[in-house]
Structure formats: structure tokens, C-alpha cells
Amino acid sequence: MGTVVSLRLEDADAVDLVETVFHRWDEQFSLYREDSELSRIARGDIRLTEASQSLRTCYALALDWRERTQGVFTPHRTDGVIDLSGVVKALAIAEAGAALTARGPANWSINAGGDVLVSGDAGHPEWVVGIVDPSDRGELIASVPLRHPLRAVATSGSAERGEHIWTALDGEPSPFQQVSVFAADIVTADVLATAIVAGGETTLNEMTERFAIDVLAVRRDGQLLATPGLKRAV
């Protein structure tokens, strides 16, 4: 998927389990791989109606999020290609987390390209995630404890990969350099981080009203916008 996955866990034997999960999602959905099922659809080798049930289910999920964000989040690139990276990475993280949880109570974190999901028992020190300054990657703008129920965080923006997110702002770039969303599940966090970057402050206001999330957004002029739950962390 063109990113790096990092693990922190006590059960070293679980590493292979997590690798298997991510490799399977990558082999099916990565547009970086010419042999993936999604790449074959993008080239027209197979029709979407001929795709596997799992791919069509992911596409349906992405369409559902398009509706829930009033079209700001979309699984379609401007050239018409179906791109499910907005949900697939998060689904891979979620499946890997479920697989680790099924092995029994444990303390672990999964970080896939800056999108983080954690688990910890009552006796474990809380996980703390650092939010990087998009203008200076060597500095942090916040250190935020991941407390139940908000145990997932996803960050989206232009600082790492440049302007790669389609916006619903009449062709104008997003007013945000970076948006971090904290949620109970990684799919919600990932989708809404992308949606807020794409939709700007209007979408930020709508999503924080409708979903149980916290948000830290960095404007292009460096100004920070933080929901009440994060203001003390900034």
C-alpha cells in the first residue's frame, strides 16, 4: 500500500499473524501492484460486477461513507479510477487488531503510515501518540493519551505526500495542512480525517457534531483548531 507498518507488542509470535493480514489486503487492493484485483479493475481487465465479494463489500462501505459525508469522501479518483485506499488501510489495521485481541488480553499498538490503533489492559500505562508539526517534522504539536473509548487516531494532509487529496472546494486547496481525528475505531478516524481535509472547515464542523470524535486541525497559516477534548494536549 506504499506505506510502513510498525508494531509494538509483547507477543512476538503475533508478528507473523499481523504480516499475513496486511499482505493479503495489499495483494488484493493495492494500486501500487499491477497484479492486485483492484488494479485489474482499474485497467478494465475485469468489471466491478465480476470482482470478488470482499472487494465489492469494501466498495459498498466506501460508498456508504460517501453518503455519510455528503459526498466529500469518495472512492473515485478524478480520472474515474476506483481507489479504496481511504478505507482499505484502516480495514487492514482493524482486522490485524481483532486478530491480536483474539489471542487474549494484551498490550499492543499498530501504526500504519501514521494511523494508529492501540489496546491495553487496566494495568498497562496508557498509550500516548505524538502529533507531528506539519511545518517541522522533527517537532510535535501535541502528545495525546489514547483513552477508552477513543483508541484510534488517523492523520491526513499534504505535509508527507504533497497535495494528493481531492477537495470539494471548487478546485481550491484545503485550508488545512493536516488533520488528526481520534475515534473509537480506526475506519471512522481514517475516513473522517480525509473528509475534513477535503471539505474544509464546514465539514470539520459537521463531522464533529455528528460523530463522537476529537479533532486537531492545522491551518495553512499554522493556526491550530482543536475540539474541547484535545485543547489541553496542544
Side-chain angles (χ1 to χ4, degrees):
M1 301 177 191
T3 191
V4 175
V5 179
S6 301
L7 305 175
R8 289 177 179 266
L9 41 76
E10 299 167 345
D11 183 1
D13 294 335
V15 173
D16 290 342
L17 175 65
V18 174
E19 286 183 348
T20 298
V21 170
F22 276 94
H23 280 305
R24 178 166 46 77
W25 283 89
D26 184 69
E27 289 169 359
Q28 184 176 11
F29 290 97
S30 177
L31 290 174
Y32 291 92
R33 299 174 61 108
E34 293 185 359
D35 60 343
S36 74
E37 185 178 13
L38 195 57
S39 289
R40 293 170 63 203
I41 291 174
R43 289 195 303 269
D45 295 348
I46 58 174
R47 298 177 180 177
L48 181 61
T49 54
E50 301 169 331
S52 65
Q53 180 63 53
S54 59
L55 189 146
R56 286 183 283 122
T57 297
C58 285
Y59 182 57
L61 175 65
L63 292 179
D64 178 62
W65 275 108
R66 185 179 68 179
E67 294 298 317
R68 297 173 75 182
T69 60
Q70 291 81 51
V72 177
F73 176 86
T74 176
H76 301 108
R77 296 193 326 206
T78 54
D79 59 4
V81 170
I82 296 174
D83 186 344
L84 298 177
S85 58
V87 293
V88 164
K89 182 174 68 170
L91 288 169
I93 296 171
E95 182 182 333
L100 291 175
T101 299
R103 294 174 66 90
N107 305 306
W108 50 260
S109 73
I110 304 172
N111 182 335
D115 295 348
V116 179
L117 180 67
V118 304
S119 176
D121 57 38
H124 183 268
E126 62 187 7
W127 293 99
V128 178
V129 63
I131 304 299
V132 174
D133 184 343
S135 300
D136 183 351
R137 309 306 288 172
E139 298 293 333
L140 298 180
I141 56 174
S143 294
V144 183
L146 289 181
R147 299 189 177 101
H148 181 79
L150 304 186
R151 65 189 193 97
V153 58
T155 298
S156 187
S158 59
E160 288 284 352
R161 297 170 54 194
E163 302 293 346
H164 68 286
I165 297 174
W166 174 87
T167 68
L169 303 170
D170 297 324
E172 295 295 320
S174 173
F176 298 127
Q177 290 188 69
Q178 179 174 286
V179 173
S180 299
V181 173
F182 296 76
D185 69 279
I186 192 63
V187 175
T188 298
D190 200 13
V191 168
L192 295 186
T194 300
I196 292 169
V197 171
E201 195 161 344
T202 297
T203 301
L204 169 63
N205 294 334
E206 291 177 353
M207 297 303 105
T208 51
E209 288 180 2
R210 292 175 50 204
F211 294 93
I213 58 174
D214 271 323
V215 178
L216 177 60
V218 185
R219 290 181 178 273
R220 290 188 179 273
D221 62 4
Q223 180 185 0
L224 302 181
L225 298 179
T227 49
L230 292 181
K231 285 185 177 179
R232 287 183 297 178
V234 175

